[in-house]
Tab-separated table of all heavy atoms in Angstrom:
chain	number	residue	atom	x	y	z
A	1	MET	N	116.926	100.976	121.165
A	1	MET	CA	118.156	100.201	121.064
A	1	MET	C	118.446	99.454	122.354
A	1	MET	O	119.014	98.367	122.346
A	1	MET	CB	119.341	101.123	120.750
A	1	MET	CG	119.274	101.682	119.342
A	1	MET	SD	119.338	100.377	118.108
A	1	MET	CE	118.299	101.058	116.850
A	340	SER	N	96.308	104.145	89.936
A	340	SER	CA	94.917	104.574	90.059
A	340	SER	C	94.747	105.766	90.988
A	340	SER	O	93.709	106.409	90.965
A	340	SER	CB	94.039	103.416	90.530
A	340	SER	OG	94.245	103.196	91.892
A	341	THR	N	95.738	106.095	91.794
A	341	THR	CA	95.562	107.278	92.639
A	341	THR	C	96.488	108.428	92.264
A	341	THR	O	96.243	109.550	92.664
A	341	THR	CB	95.767	106.957	94.134
A	341	THR	OG1	97.041	106.379	94.298
A	341	THR	CG2	94.708	106.030	94.647
A	342	PHE	N	97.549	108.175	91.521
A	342	PHE	CA	98.456	109.269	91.174
A	342	PHE	C	98.552	109.508	89.668
A	342	PHE	O	98.706	110.621	89.217
A	342	PHE	CB	99.871	108.976	91.681
A	342	PHE	CG	100.022	109.138	93.153
A	342	PHE	CD1	99.846	108.061	93.991
A	342	PHE	CD2	100.334	110.366	93.693
A	342	PHE	CE1	99.980	108.204	95.351
A	342	PHE	CE2	100.474	110.514	95.046
A	342	PHE	CZ	100.286	109.437	95.881
A	344	GLN	N	96.545	108.641	86.846
A	344	GLN	CA	95.382	108.181	86.075
A	344	GLN	C	95.563	108.410	84.590
A	344	GLN	O	94.948	107.739	83.762
A	344	GLN	CB	94.119	108.913	86.531
A	344	GLN	CG	93.676	108.596	87.932
A	344	GLN	CD	94.231	109.568	88.940
A	344	GLN	OE1	95.104	110.360	88.633
A	344	GLN	NE2	93.727	109.516	90.155
A	345	GLU	N	96.430	109.376	84.241
A	345	GLU	CA	96.620	109.671	82.821
A	345	GLU	C	97.330	108.536	82.095
A	345	GLU	O	97.324	108.486	80.876
A	345	GLU	CB	97.380	110.987	82.647
A	345	GLU	CG	98.832	110.985	83.125
A	345	GLU	CD	98.957	111.231	84.615
A	345	GLU	OE1	97.918	111.384	85.281
A	345	GLU	OE2	100.094	111.264	85.109
A	346	MET	N	97.926	107.603	82.864
A	346	MET	CA	98.644	106.515	82.197
A	346	MET	C	97.705	105.434	81.674
A	346	MET	O	98.108	104.599	80.879
A	346	MET	CB	99.625	105.871	83.165
A	346	MET	CG	100.841	106.721	83.402
A	346	MET	SD	101.933	105.955	84.569
A	346	MET	CE	102.542	104.584	83.619
A	347	LEU	N	96.478	105.449	82.149
A	347	LEU	CA	95.554	104.394	81.736
A	347	LEU	C	94.841	104.800	80.449
A	347	LEU	O	94.571	105.977	80.237
A	347	LEU	CB	94.505	104.172	82.827
A	347	LEU	CG	95.012	103.609	84.137
A	347	LEU	CD1	93.932	103.722	85.184
A	347	LEU	CD2	95.407	102.167	83.966
A	348	PRO	N	94.512	103.853	79.603
A	348	PRO	CA	93.661	104.162	78.461
A	348	PRO	C	92.294	104.644	78.963
A	348	PRO	O	91.828	104.175	80.012
A	348	PRO	CB	93.519	102.827	77.733
A	348	PRO	CG	94.598	101.970	78.255
A	348	PRO	CD	94.925	102.445	79.622
A	349	THR	N	91.678	105.540	78.205
A	349	THR	CA	90.448	106.167	78.691
A	349	THR	C	89.392	105.138	79.081
A	349	THR	O	88.792	105.225	80.157
A	349	THR	CB	89.879	107.096	77.618
A	349	THR	OG1	90.931	107.939	77.187
A	349	THR	CG2	88.749	107.931	78.164
A	350	THR	N	89.190	104.155	78.219
A	350	THR	CA	88.114	103.200	78.512
A	350	THR	C	88.412	102.385	79.759
A	350	THR	O	87.524	102.110	80.562
A	350	THR	CB	87.902	102.246	77.325
A	350	THR	OG1	89.170	101.929	76.787
A	350	THR	CG2	87.051	102.883	76.263
A	352	LEU	N	90.240	103.429	82.257
A	352	LEU	CA	90.081	104.341	83.387
A	352	LEU	C	88.614	104.429	83.780
A	352	LEU	O	88.271	104.359	84.964
A	352	LEU	CB	90.606	105.725	83.015
A	352	LEU	CG	90.393	106.773	84.092
A	352	LEU	CD1	91.472	106.664	85.143
A	352	LEU	CD2	90.345	108.162	83.526
A	353	ILE	N	87.751	104.550	82.769
A	353	ILE	CA	86.326	104.709	83.070
A	353	ILE	C	85.779	103.432	83.680
A	353	ILE	O	85.010	103.468	84.646
A	353	ILE	CB	85.573	105.126	81.800
A	353	ILE	CG1	85.928	106.570	81.493
A	353	ILE	CG2	84.078	104.983	81.982
A	353	ILE	CD1	85.545	107.012	80.137
A	354	SER	N	86.227	102.308	83.156
A	354	SER	CA	85.728	101.055	83.712
A	354	SER	C	86.214	100.875	85.156
A	354	SER	O	85.465	100.431	86.027
A	354	SER	CB	86.166	99.918	82.792
A	354	SER	OG	86.633	98.844	83.512
A	355	LEU	N	87.452	101.258	85.428
A	355	LEU	CA	87.947	101.167	86.811
A	355	LEU	C	87.216	102.163	87.701
A	355	LEU	O	86.856	101.840	88.846
A	355	LEU	CB	89.451	101.449	86.861
A	355	LEU	CG	90.369	100.382	86.277
A	355	LEU	CD1	91.816	100.806	86.400
A	355	LEU	CD2	90.173	99.056	86.980
A	356	ALA	N	86.991	103.354	87.159
A	356	ALA	CA	86.304	104.374	87.950
A	356	ALA	C	84.893	103.909	88.290
A	356	ALA	O	84.401	104.116	89.402
A	356	ALA	CB	86.272	105.686	87.196
A	357	ALA	N	84.249	103.256	87.307
A	357	ALA	CA	82.893	102.771	87.557
A	357	ALA	C	82.895	101.721	88.651
A	357	ALA	O	81.996	101.677	89.495
A	357	ALA	CB	82.313	102.190	86.270
A	359	ARG	N	84.969	101.552	91.080
A	359	ARG	CA	85.278	102.177	92.364
A	359	ARG	C	84.132	103.036	92.880
A	359	ARG	O	84.157	103.471	94.027
A	359	ARG	CB	86.536	103.026	92.238
A	359	ARG	CG	87.805	102.217	92.378
A	359	ARG	CD	88.938	103.075	92.880
A	359	ARG	NE	88.634	103.728	94.132
A	359	ARG	CZ	88.750	103.167	95.330
A	359	ARG	NH1	89.157	101.948	95.431
A	359	ARG	NH2	88.448	103.841	96.418
A	360	GLU	N	83.134	103.288	92.023
A	360	GLU	CA	81.978	104.077	92.462
A	360	GLU	C	81.383	103.447	93.707
A	360	GLU	O	81.070	102.263	93.721
A	360	GLU	CB	80.915	104.024	91.364
A	360	GLU	CG	80.682	105.205	90.463
A	360	GLU	CD	81.348	106.506	90.787
A	360	GLU	OE1	80.945	107.113	91.793
A	360	GLU	OE2	82.218	106.935	90.023
A	361	GLY	N	81.224	104.226	94.726
A	361	GLY	CA	80.557	103.721	95.921
A	361	GLY	C	81.426	102.912	96.844
A	361	GLY	O	80.968	102.437	97.872
A	362	ILE	N	82.695	102.718	96.495
A	362	ILE	CA	83.599	102.007	97.415
A	362	ILE	C	84.011	103.002	98.499
A	362	ILE	O	84.509	104.083	98.196
A	362	ILE	CB	84.845	101.493	96.667
A	362	ILE	CG1	84.451	100.640	95.473
A	362	ILE	CG2	85.753	100.743	97.614
A	362	ILE	CD1	83.870	99.331	95.787
A	365	PRO	N	89.783	104.298	100.415
A	365	PRO	CA	90.771	104.618	99.392
A	365	PRO	C	91.402	103.328	98.858
A	365	PRO	O	91.371	102.291	99.542
A	365	PRO	CB	91.821	105.460	100.121
A	365	PRO	CG	91.353	105.640	101.498
A	365	PRO	CD	90.130	104.829	101.724
A	366	ALA	N	91.990	103.432	97.673
A	366	ALA	CA	92.530	102.230	97.027
A	366	ALA	C	93.539	101.523	97.913
A	366	ALA	O	93.584	100.294	97.944
A	366	ALA	CB	93.156	102.602	95.691
A	367	VAL	N	94.349	102.281	98.638
A	367	VAL	CA	95.411	101.627	99.415
A	367	VAL	C	94.821	100.817	100.571
A	367	VAL	O	95.265	99.703	100.856
A	367	VAL	CB	96.451	102.656	99.910
A	367	VAL	CG1	95.816	103.737	100.746
A	367	VAL	CG2	97.539	101.970	100.690
A	449	ILE	N	102.780	100.616	100.640
A	449	ILE	CA	102.836	101.858	101.427
A	449	ILE	C	103.541	102.951	100.620
A	449	ILE	O	103.077	104.091	100.536
A	449	ILE	CB	103.589	101.620	102.758
A	449	ILE	CG1	102.929	100.515	103.559
A	449	ILE	CG2	103.687	102.906	103.563
A	449	ILE	CD1	101.619	100.864	104.185
A	450	LEU	N	104.661	102.571	99.989
A	450	LEU	CA	105.391	103.549	99.181
A	450	LEU	C	104.524	104.074	98.051
A	450	LEU	O	104.510	105.271	97.755
A	450	LEU	CB	106.648	102.909	98.594
A	450	LEU	CG	107.832	102.778	99.535
A	450	LEU	CD1	108.951	102.017	98.855
A	450	LEU	CD2	108.328	104.153	99.934
A	452	ALA	N	101.329	104.267	97.953
A	452	ALA	CA	100.228	105.091	98.440
A	452	ALA	C	100.702	106.466	98.865
A	452	ALA	O	99.945	107.427	98.828
A	452	ALA	CB	99.547	104.395	99.614
A	453	THR	N	101.976	106.572	99.257
A	453	THR	CA	102.445	107.885	99.696
A	453	THR	C	103.083	108.665	98.555
A	453	THR	O	102.875	109.866	98.437
A	453	THR	CB	103.472	107.750	100.833
A	453	THR	OG1	104.420	106.774	100.454
A	453	THR	CG2	102.802	107.334	102.115
A	454	LEU	N	103.847	108.004	97.707
A	454	LEU	CA	104.596	108.743	96.693
A	454	LEU	C	104.306	108.305	95.261
A	454	LEU	O	104.933	108.791	94.331
A	454	LEU	CB	106.102	108.605	96.959
A	454	LEU	CG	106.594	109.162	98.284
A	454	LEU	CD1	108.017	108.725	98.539
A	454	LEU	CD2	106.528	110.675	98.279
A	457	PHE	N	106.808	107.197	91.802
A	457	PHE	CA	108.095	107.682	92.297
A	457	PHE	C	108.530	106.868	93.520
A	457	PHE	O	109.690	106.467	93.640
A	457	PHE	CB	107.956	109.167	92.646
A	457	PHE	CG	109.172	109.747	93.274
A	457	PHE	CD1	110.292	110.028	92.512
A	457	PHE	CD2	109.211	109.998	94.631
A	457	PHE	CE1	111.412	110.559	93.083
A	457	PHE	CE2	110.340	110.519	95.220
A	457	PHE	CZ	111.449	110.800	94.451
B	1	MET	N	125.685	102.264	116.418
B	1	MET	CA	125.013	103.339	115.681
B	1	MET	C	124.948	104.587	116.559
B	1	MET	O	124.445	104.534	117.668
B	1	MET	CB	123.592	102.885	115.335
B	1	MET	CG	123.119	103.476	114.037
B	1	MET	SD	121.401	103.082	113.752
B	1	MET	CE	121.512	101.375	113.272
B	6	LYS	N	120.864	107.796	114.104
B	6	LYS	CA	119.539	107.308	114.486
B	6	LYS	C	118.493	108.387	114.259
B	6	LYS	O	117.414	108.148	113.733
B	6	LYS	CB	119.544	106.908	115.968
B	6	LYS	CG	120.028	105.494	116.204
B	6	LYS	CD	119.844	105.141	117.657
B	6	LYS	CE	121.159	104.771	118.296
B	6	LYS	NZ	121.095	104.700	119.751
B	16	LEU	N	108.668	110.492	105.349
B	16	LEU	CA	107.973	109.646	104.371
B	16	LEU	C	106.492	109.540	104.711
B	16	LEU	O	105.634	109.546	103.843
B	16	LEU	CB	108.609	108.255	104.357
B	16	LEU	CG	108.091	107.296	103.305
B	16	LEU	CD1	108.573	107.718	101.940
B	16	LEU	CD2	108.534	105.893	103.594
B	17	LEU	N	106.212	109.449	106.014
B	17	LEU	CA	104.822	109.285	106.415
B	17	LEU	C	104.092	110.624	106.498
B	17	LEU	O	102.894	110.712	106.261
B	17	LEU	CB	104.751	108.590	107.773
B	17	LEU	CG	105.362	107.184	107.790
B	17	LEU	CD1	105.437	106.669	109.200
B	17	LEU	CD2	104.551	106.246	106.924
B	19	ASN	N	104.295	113.241	104.646
B	19	ASN	CA	103.884	113.937	103.426
B	19	ASN	C	102.445	113.584	103.059
B	19	ASN	O	101.896	114.110	102.110
B	19	ASN	CB	104.824	113.616	102.272
B	19	ASN	CG	104.796	112.172	101.898
B	19	ASN	OD1	103.807	111.492	102.077
B	19	ASN	ND2	105.884	111.673	101.385
B	20	GLY	N	101.835	112.708	103.820
B	20	GLY	CA	100.466	112.333	103.528
B	20	GLY	C	100.426	111.604	102.215
B	20	GLY	O	101.305	110.806	101.944
B	21	CYS	N	99.464	111.903	101.422
B	21	CYS	CA	99.414	111.206	100.156
B	21	CYS	C	99.656	112.160	99.012
B	21	CYS	O	99.109	112.010	97.929
B	21	CYS	CB	98.116	110.445	100.021
B	21	CYS	SG	98.111	109.071	101.154
B	22	TRP	N	100.442	113.174	99.233
B	22	TRP	CA	100.892	114.076	98.187
B	22	TRP	C	99.715	114.521	97.321
B	22	TRP	O	98.752	115.063	97.822
B	22	TRP	CB	101.989	113.375	97.378
B	22	TRP	CG	102.839	114.312	96.596
B	22	TRP	CD1	102.759	115.667	96.577
B	22	TRP	CD2	103.880	113.971	95.701
B	22	TRP	NE1	103.711	116.175	95.748
B	22	TRP	CE2	104.407	115.157	95.187
B	22	TRP	CE3	104.425	112.753	95.284
B	22	TRP	CZ2	105.446	115.182	94.275
B	22	TRP	CZ3	105.454	112.781	94.381
B	22	TRP	CH2	105.971	113.994	93.877
B	23	ASP	N	99.785	114.220	96.027
B	23	ASP	CA	98.656	114.653	95.208
B	23	ASP	C	97.826	113.457	94.764
B	23	ASP	O	97.340	113.400	93.658
B	23	ASP	CB	99.126	115.462	93.998
B	23	ASP	CG	100.162	114.718	93.194
B	23	ASP	OD1	100.524	113.609	93.614
B	23	ASP	OD2	100.597	115.218	92.159
B	24	SER	N	97.669	112.523	95.681
B	24	SER	CA	96.916	111.340	95.282
B	24	SER	C	95.423	111.652	95.195
B	24	SER	O	94.881	112.416	95.982
B	24	SER	CB	97.157	110.225	96.298
B	24	SER	OG	96.031	109.993	97.067
B	25	LYS	N	94.806	111.089	94.166
B	25	LYS	CA	93.374	111.293	93.970
B	25	LYS	C	92.743	109.932	93.697
B	25	LYS	O	93.219	109.200	92.842
B	25	LYS	CB	93.115	112.212	92.759
B	25	LYS	CG	93.253	113.685	93.084
B	25	LYS	CD	93.232	114.488	91.803
B	25	LYS	CE	94.626	114.801	91.357
B	25	LYS	NZ	94.817	115.125	89.991
B	26	GLU	N	91.704	109.629	94.426
B	26	GLU	CA	91.039	108.359	94.183
B	26	GLU	C	90.226	108.458	92.898
B	26	GLU	O	89.757	109.535	92.516
B	26	GLU	CB	90.118	108.014	95.352
B	26	GLU	CG	90.853	107.685	96.627
B	26	GLU	CD	91.714	106.435	96.513
B	26	GLU	OE1	91.374	105.552	95.720
B	26	GLU	OE2	92.731	106.363	97.220
B	27	LEU	N	90.059	107.308	92.264
B	27	LEU	CA	89.344	107.297	90.986
B	27	LEU	C	87.928	107.807	91.136
B	27	LEU	O	87.386	108.459	90.241
B	27	LEU	CB	89.307	105.875	90.419
B	27	LEU	CG	90.585	105.377	89.773
B	27	LEU	CD1	90.366	103.978	89.244
B	27	LEU	CD2	90.989	106.284	88.644
B	28	ASN	N	87.302	107.501	92.293
B	28	ASN	CA	85.920	107.951	92.441
B	28	ASN	C	85.830	109.361	93.024
B	28	ASN	O	84.810	109.766	93.544
B	28	ASN	CB	85.091	106.955	93.263
B	28	ASN	CG	85.847	106.491	94.483
B	28	ASN	OD1	86.956	106.922	94.724
B	28	ASN	ND2	85.235	105.623	95.258
B	30	LEU	N	87.174	111.761	90.898
B	30	LEU	CA	87.539	112.489	89.684
B	30	LEU	C	86.338	112.661	88.768
B	30	LEU	O	85.487	111.791	88.676
B	30	LEU	CB	88.588	111.707	88.893
B	30	LEU	CG	89.952	111.505	89.518
B	30	LEU	CD1	90.796	110.689	88.559
B	30	LEU	CD2	90.607	112.827	89.782
B	32	ILE	N	86.029	112.776	85.039
B	32	ILE	CA	86.866	112.563	83.870
B	32	ILE	C	86.281	113.364	82.711
B	32	ILE	O	85.183	113.088	82.240
B	32	ILE	CB	86.951	111.066	83.533
B	32	ILE	CG1	87.496	110.314	84.735
B	32	ILE	CG2	87.810	110.847	82.310
B	32	ILE	CD1	87.217	108.845	84.709
B	52	VAL	N	82.379	112.447	81.953
B	52	VAL	CA	81.884	111.076	81.845
B	52	VAL	C	81.280	110.635	83.177
B	52	VAL	O	81.817	110.943	84.230
B	52	VAL	CB	83.051	110.141	81.465
B	52	VAL	CG1	82.597	108.717	81.429
B	52	VAL	CG2	83.642	110.558	80.146
B	54	PRO	N	80.952	107.431	84.999
B	54	PRO	CA	81.433	106.057	84.805
B	54	PRO	C	80.367	104.997	85.059
B	54	PRO	O	80.250	104.041	84.299
B	54	PRO	CB	82.568	105.936	85.806
B	54	PRO	CG	82.968	107.317	86.129
B	54	PRO	CD	81.751	108.157	85.982
B	55	GLN	N	79.569	105.159	86.122
B	55	GLN	CA	78.681	104.047	86.467
B	55	GLN	C	77.598	103.813	85.435
B	55	GLN	O	77.019	102.736	85.372
B	55	GLN	CB	78.074	104.210	87.864
B	55	GLN	CG	77.230	105.431	88.050
B	55	GLN	CD	78.041	106.540	88.686
B	55	GLN	OE1	79.117	106.883	88.199
B	55	GLN	NE2	77.558	107.105	89.769
B	57	ILE	N	78.258	103.982	82.286
B	57	ILE	CA	78.918	103.474	81.085
B	57	ILE	C	79.322	102.022	81.252
B	57	ILE	O	79.073	101.188	80.400
B	57	ILE	CB	80.148	104.343	80.762
B	57	ILE	CG1	79.655	105.677	80.216
B	57	ILE	CG2	81.041	103.655	79.749
B	57	ILE	CD1	80.721	106.663	79.998
B	58	ALA	N	79.940	101.725	82.390
B	58	ALA	CA	80.386	100.349	82.605
B	58	ALA	C	79.169	99.441	82.705
B	58	ALA	O	78.140	99.822	83.264
B	58	ALA	CB	81.200	100.266	83.881
B	60	GLN	N	78.825	96.496	84.264
B	60	GLN	CA	78.540	95.999	85.610
B	60	GLN	C	78.914	97.072	86.604
B	60	GLN	O	80.020	97.564	86.635
B	60	GLN	CB	79.322	94.731	85.889
B	60	GLN	CG	78.674	93.958	87.006
B	60	GLN	CD	79.554	92.836	87.461
B	60	GLN	OE1	80.533	92.504	86.851
B	60	GLN	NE2	79.191	92.264	88.590
B	61	THR	N	77.975	97.468	87.416
B	61	THR	CA	78.268	98.514	88.387
B	61	THR	C	77.988	97.990	89.779
B	61	THR	O	77.310	97.000	89.966
B	61	THR	CB	77.390	99.743	88.133
B	61	THR	OG1	76.032	99.324	88.148
B	61	THR	CG2	77.690	100.377	86.804
B	62	GLY	N	78.532	98.668	90.740
B	62	GLY	CA	78.345	98.263	92.138
B	62	GLY	C	76.963	98.616	92.639
B	62	GLY	O	76.792	99.461	93.497
B	95	ARG	N	83.097	116.853	91.827
B	95	ARG	CA	84.399	116.201	91.854
B	95	ARG	C	85.400	117.036	91.063
B	95	ARG	O	85.008	117.796	90.183
B	95	ARG	CB	84.307	114.812	91.219
B	95	ARG	CG	83.406	113.885	91.970
B	95	ARG	CD	83.350	112.564	91.271
B	95	ARG	NE	82.495	111.629	92.019
B	95	ARG	CZ	82.302	110.389	91.654
B	95	ARG	NH1	82.877	109.920	90.566
B	95	ARG	NH2	81.529	109.594	92.357
B	98	PHE	N	89.264	116.345	85.778
B	98	PHE	CA	90.505	115.648	85.435
B	98	PHE	C	90.673	115.682	83.922
B	98	PHE	O	89.867	115.120	83.188
B	98	PHE	CB	90.417	114.219	85.966
B	98	PHE	CG	91.652	113.419	85.744
B	98	PHE	CD1	92.838	113.769	86.368
B	98	PHE	CD2	91.641	112.315	84.911
B	98	PHE	CE1	93.975	113.034	86.175
B	98	PHE	CE2	92.776	111.575	84.715
B	98	PHE	CZ	93.951	111.938	85.351
B	100	ALA	N	93.350	114.818	81.918
B	100	ALA	CA	94.329	114.012	81.187
B	100	ALA	C	93.686	113.167	80.099
B	100	ALA	O	94.351	112.756	79.166
B	100	ALA	CB	95.093	113.119	82.146
B	101	HIS	N	92.402	112.923	80.204
B	101	HIS	CA	91.765	112.095	79.186
B	101	HIS	C	90.882	112.910	78.265
B	101	HIS	O	90.037	112.360	77.554
B	101	HIS	CB	90.992	110.958	79.840
B	101	HIS	CG	91.891	109.914	80.387
B	101	HIS	ND1	92.230	108.790	79.674
B	101	HIS	CD2	92.576	109.844	81.542
B	101	HIS	CE1	93.072	108.075	80.385
B	101	HIS	NE2	93.298	108.702	81.529
B	131	ARG	N	96.674	117.027	77.709
B	131	ARG	CA	97.394	116.268	76.701
B	131	ARG	C	97.553	117.065	75.418
B	131	ARG	O	96.607	117.692	74.957
B	131	ARG	CB	96.636	114.978	76.387
B	131	ARG	CG	96.736	114.056	77.526
B	131	ARG	CD	96.758	112.652	77.059
B	131	ARG	NE	97.084	111.798	78.193
B	131	ARG	CZ	96.922	110.501	78.180
B	131	ARG	NH1	96.449	109.920	77.110
B	131	ARG	NH2	97.244	109.783	79.222
B	156	ILE	N	80.601	107.652	75.144
B	156	ILE	CA	81.285	108.910	75.427
B	156	ILE	C	81.440	109.648	74.108
B	156	ILE	O	82.213	109.236	73.251
B	156	ILE	CB	82.664	108.654	76.037
B	156	ILE	CG1	82.529	107.678	77.185
B	156	ILE	CG2	83.299	109.941	76.484
B	156	ILE	CD1	83.830	107.079	77.596
B	159	ASN	N	85.008	110.752	72.918
B	159	ASN	CA	85.806	109.711	72.279
B	159	ASN	C	85.290	109.400	70.889
B	159	ASN	O	86.060	109.115	69.977
B	159	ASN	CB	85.755	108.428	73.107
B	159	ASN	CG	86.650	108.513	74.304
B	159	ASN	OD1	87.166	109.581	74.602
B	159	ASN	ND2	86.811	107.402	74.997
Side-chain angles (χ1 to χ4, degrees):
Chain A
M1 290 298 146
S340 75
T341 56
F342 286 92
Q344 293 93 349
E345 67 277 1
M346 285 178 70
L347 293 168
T349 310
T350 39
L352 176 81
I353 288 166
S354 136
L355 289 180
R359 277 206 56 83
E360 256 350 290
I362 305 290
V367 58
I449 303 288
L450 281 175
T453 48
L454 298 169
F457 175 75
Chain B
M1 212 186 285
K6 275 187 239 168
L16 186 72
L17 299 171
N19 64 28
C21 290
W22 199 2
D23 54 358
S24 109
K25 278 170 263 159
E26 291 296 331
L27 283 181
N28 44 1
L30 295 179
I32 302 161
V52 176
Q55 61 263 53
I57 287 174
Q60 201 190 349
T61 55
R95 297 179 178 182
F98 183 65
H101 287 265
R131 289 213 170 166
I156 310 164
N159 283 9

